[in-house]
Amino acid sequence: METILGKKKKGVSSLSLSSAFFFCPFFFCGLVGTCRANSPNQQQLDRITALPGQPLVSFKQFSGYVTVNEQHGRSLFYWLTEAVTDADGKPLVLWLNGGPGCSSIAYGASEEIGPFRVNKTGSFLYLNKHSWNREANILFLESPAGVGFSYTNTSSDLKDSGDERTAQDALIFMIEWMSRFPQYKYRDFYITGESYAGHYVPQLAKKIHDYNRPSKKPIIDLKGFLVGNAVTDNHYDSIGTVTYWWSHSMISDTTYRSIISHCNFTHVDNSPGCEKALEYAMSHEFGDIDQYSIYTPTCSSSSANATRHHRLKKTLIRRRANGHDPCTENYAEKYYNRPDVQKAMHANLTVIPYKWTACSDVLIKHWKDTQFSMLHTYKELIAAGLRIWVFSGDTDSVVPVTATRFSLSHLGLSVKTRWYPWYSDGQVGGWTEVYHGLTFATVRGAGHEVPLFQPRRALQLFKSFLAGHELPKS
């Protein structure tokens, strides 16, 4: 992820300062490029017996590769964690992290909604009692090629990735994956994610919706999507982000006025005056904070400095507070680079010439096309009748709640249920407003990765979304 000055971490990158806040059913020749069927035995070959250091579990796991472009040799890596109970009767949910160029296994699976957490030394796993596979079958996808274990045999692919190809490859992945896992055909299907997945999720939803149009009974039975702290509209997101900085005392009145007067956030490149004002805010006024969770500590372990110093451009402090460990990203990198882990997951079969990392700097640096605004896509998908929920952790300053509210307000939706506090475990979990066609909810006390900071509240939100019920009022 990046702020508008290009400081990358987990889900948003800055392709420019103004865009910094985004920062043949299964012999599908036309899409894949060659006619190819999945081996009937491939599903069992993808079965994970057990991961190294994993506690005993009752649910099944599968992981492996799905080729999405034979000519270029692009293959995407997935990890399926089936539901703890009644897997055959529960929906399928795809989770995508953003970046662009960050791993859904590093973040979604290992820090947020997955069934396991990685210990400090990367030597064993322990259970996440708020895992989303308590409610659904969760499919994690490392996308696009070049992220995590996903790869391409065509090196130029790493330097010309963008929104359109990412969405198209993800559609091909789902078509091919359904062929390998026919038990999920016609199952209720939802897409979820966060941050720059604010592009990935609705873009893939539109691809699937368009693909399904000729069919009365679609194999990929898309019902809706859920996305958090989502990059939505470069212009409105930017205004909302600067407003958050000022309203949360991160910048001075003088700097706020300077940014507003010099930056219009409608062009690919900012003016020199805008650049100067933003640079001053970041370098002189923010301080050494975690911009993704402004009230929690940051991490400065040696491995964190090695992998993120050039991204964050600041000195970090390592400590634990409020139950949140700020160094979890480093533990995942230790674990997934272990040869025994990769063998158990059927990963890195081609011996990728680089280490598995949480984010790909090459992809982020060379991202080519990005949709300026997702609002038109939202309008199309609302008209299509999909269930759409957008949520925001309210302590994130990178894609903050004000950014999302500014953007969504320009959809012009009428209110169905007025703004009210919703509850989780007897406490206010956040606030929500239900519109005709979309539900918006905040999650109180959560940063950019909502399920990491507020796992119980995130699970309550997920359960309500799947059920199609408004969030509890008491």
Side-chain angles (χ1 to χ4, degrees):
M1 292 172 272
E2 294 194 18
T3 65
I4 53 177
L5 284 187
K7 297 186 177 184
K8 185 202 76 175
K9 189 184 177 187
K10 302 170 186 168
V12 181
S13 73
S14 166
L15 309 186
S16 68
L17 291 187
S18 65
S19 59
F21 300 101
F22 59 7
F23 310 160
C24 55
F26 298 106
F27 294 80
F28 204 58
C29 309
L31 282 176
V32 180
T34 60
C35 290
R36 177 178 55 83
N38 278 296
S39 163
N41 297 321
Q42 189 60 51
Q43 180 179 148
Q44 286 309 309
L45 293 175
D46 287 358
R47 177 77 183 271
I48 297 174
T49 305
L51 295 170
Q54 172 203 303
L56 288 174
V57 295
S58 60
F59 57 87
K60 294 180 181 178
Q61 302 178 77
F62 302 83
S63 61
Y65 287 96
V66 173
T67 299
V68 295
N69 188 292
E70 293 274 13
Q71 183 178 1
H72 283 228
R74 286 202 301 275
S75 291
L76 301 185
F77 186 79
Y78 80 90
W79 181 10
L80 172 69
T81 59
E82 292 196 328
V84 173
T85 60
D86 189 27
D88 292 339
K90 288 182 176 171
L92 175 67
V93 174
L94 175 69
W95 173 273
L96 299 170
N97 275 90
C102 293
S103 165
S104 298
I105 289 176
Y107 298 110
S110 302
E111 289 191 356
E112 300 182 78
I113 69 168
F116 305 119
R117 294 285 183 266
V118 183
N119 79 315
K120 287 185 177 183
T121 61
S123 58
F124 66 86
L125 305 174
Y126 58 97
L127 290 175
N128 168 25
K129 63 181 180 180
H130 300 295
S131 173
W132 286 13
N133 78 328
R134 293 172 178 267
E135 303 297 326
N137 302 283
I138 308 295
L139 176 62
F140 299 98
L141 177 64
E142 293 194 303
S143 174
V147 174
F149 292 124
S150 296
Y151 69 89
T152 176
N153 293 330
T154 305
S155 59
S156 60
D157 284 348
L158 301 178
K159 296 186 177 181
D160 62 6
S161 286
D163 282 14
E164 173 59 28
R165 191 171 75 201
T166 298
Q168 186 73 358
D169 280 1
L171 171 63
I172 297 167
F173 168 85
M174 287 307 308
I175 294 168
E176 291 289 303
W177 189 88
M178 287 285 184
S179 177
R180 188 177 301 181
F181 288 82
Q183 67 267 39
Y184 286 100
K185 292 179 184 179
Y186 313 110
R187 189 84 63 93
D188 285 1
F189 175 65
Y190 298 92
I191 312 173
T192 58
E194 68 188 18
S195 197
Y196 196 77
H199 282 213
Y200 294 165
V201 170
Q203 286 168 348
L204 176 57
K206 176 172 167 49
K207 288 283 186 185
I208 293 174
H209 173 69
D210 292 346
Y211 174 73
N212 284 342
R213 278 181 177 174
S215 174
K216 293 182 179 179
K217 189 179 181 183
I219 290 170
I220 307 174
D221 192 8
L222 177 64
K223 298 298 186 182
F225 65 83
L226 169 73
V227 64
N229 291 79
V231 176
T232 305
D233 179 281
N234 287 356
H235 177 65
Y236 300 124
D237 282 3
S238 299
I239 295 171
T241 298
V242 175
T243 300
Y244 186 92
W245 294 350
W246 176 79
S247 65
H248 286 71
S249 305
M250 294 171 63
I251 59 174
S252 65
D253 293 354
T254 300
T255 298
Y256 174 71
R257 287 193 294 266
S258 181
I259 293 172
I260 293 300
S261 64
H262 288 99
C263 305
N264 61 24
F265 301 113
T266 58
H267 303 295
V268 173
D269 297 312
N270 283 320
S271 68
C274 176
E275 296 271 5
K276 183 178 179 180
L278 292 170
E279 178 64 48
Y280 187 86
M282 304 283 286
S283 300
H284 298 284
E285 295 186 342
F286 274 20
D288 294 334
I289 63 168
D290 183 347
Q291 295 167 32
Y292 300 87
S293 176
I294 64 174
Y295 300 127
T296 54
T298 54
C299 175
S300 67
S301 67
S302 58
S303 59
N305 287 334
T307 58
R308 294 196 285 174
H309 178 71
H310 66 289
R311 304 176 195 170
L312 299 178
K313 300 178 182 177
K314 58 187 178 181
T315 303
L316 306 173
I317 304 169
R318 183 180 184 179
R319 61 189 177 94
R320 182 189 295 261
N322 300 324
H324 163 60
D325 185 344
C327 299
T328 53
E329 177 182 332
N330 304 321
Y331 312 155
E333 293 200 2
K334 291 177 184 177
Y335 186 75
Y336 295 112
N337 275 298
R338 288 173 47 179
D340 58 339
V341 172
Q342 294 180 4
K343 182 178 180 181
M345 297 187 76
H346 323 114
N348 199 16
L349 301 177
T350 58
V351 189
I352 300 169
Y354 47 81
K355 284 188 174 183
W356 183 94
T357 58
C359 294
S360 167
D361 293 326
V362 174
L363 283 173
I364 290 172
K365 181 179 179 181
H366 296 284
W367 199 256
K368 293 300 181 184
D369 66 282
T370 183
Q371 197 168 327
F372 188 87
S373 175
M374 299 306 304
L375 296 181
H376 181 71
T377 303
Y378 269 86
K379 290 178 180 179
E380 285 189 59
L381 297 175
I382 289 169
L386 294 183
R387 183 183 306 160
I388 300 173
W389 283 34
V390 180
F391 63 93
S392 286
D394 60 14
T395 68
D396 174 29
S397 74
V398 179
V399 190
V401 60
T402 45
T404 301
R405 293 180 73 181
F406 275 33
S407 291
L408 294 182
S409 69
H410 288 82
L411 287 172
L413 302 175
S414 60
V415 175
K416 180 182 178 183
T417 303
R418 288 185 61 179
W419 191 269
Y420 69 88
W422 64 271
Y423 286 80
S424 171
D425 198 31
Q427 299 292 321
V428 172
W431 290 265
T432 182
E433 189 154 73
V434 181
Y435 304 95
H436 289 282
L438 182 145
T439 292
F440 172 71
T442 75
V443 182
R444 187 165 68 99
H448 192 74
E449 297 170 88
V450 167
L452 170 64
F453 295 98
Q454 292 291 340
R456 184 187 297 273
R457 293 171 185 174
L459 182 59
Q460 175 63 65
L461 185 141
F462 181 60
K463 290 166 67 174
S464 297
F465 166 74
L466 288 181
H469 296 158
E470 293 185 5
L471 285 159
K473 295 181 179 180
S474 63

